Amino acid sequence: MVRLLVLYNPPEDAVAFDKYYNENHIPLAKQLPGLVRYTISRNLAANAQYYLIAELDWADMASAQAALRSPVGAACAADVAKFATTGAPSLLFEVAEV
């Protein structure tokens, strides 16, 4: 399994961020080819380093790379700038159960 981890910094306007993320970005990202799983986690601490963490999984690296290079992948990347104005670093890595 391969995972894309997106770490969303605390937004300037959490209500606007949540509205856009839930109504626009999630439906777009769920169209990524070969996507196996998509989860989000929120850090509820008042001074948390990250506001929201998204985890998107594919069966293998080739599937993940193809999805991220697809037209939907390009649209998702461009869409992040519309709502994550404080930054959203990401990591792509292999996952192994132990």
Side-chain angles (χ1 to χ4, degrees):
M1 178 142 324
V2 171
R3 178 166 295 151
L4 174 64
L5 187 68
V6 184
L7 307 164
Y8 291 99
N9 292 326
E12 294 173 7
D13 182 344
V15 172
F17 176 99
D18 289 343
K19 180 174 175 44
Y20 191 93
Y21 188 80
N22 292 323
E23 294 178 7
N24 298 286
H25 194 70
I26 289 175
L28 177 61
K30 287 179 116 179
Q31 296 175 42
L32 286 162
L35 185 65
V36 173
R37 185 173 146 233
Y38 182 178
T39 62
I40 60 171
S41 303
R42 292 182 189 278
N43 191 335
L44 302 177
N47 60 348
Q49 181 175 358
Y50 299 111
Y51 178 71
L52 183 137
I53 299 172
E55 297 178 68
L56 293 84
D57 295 341
W58 286 269
D60 53 48
M61 186 62 78
S63 298
Q65 290 174 334
L68 297 174
R69 287 192 305 260
S70 73
V72 175
C76 285
D79 193 51
V80 170
K82 295 177 183 176
F83 67 95
T85 57
T86 57
S90 63
L91 305 164
L92 183 65
F93 54 91
E94 291 182 311
V95 177
E97 281 193 45
V98 294

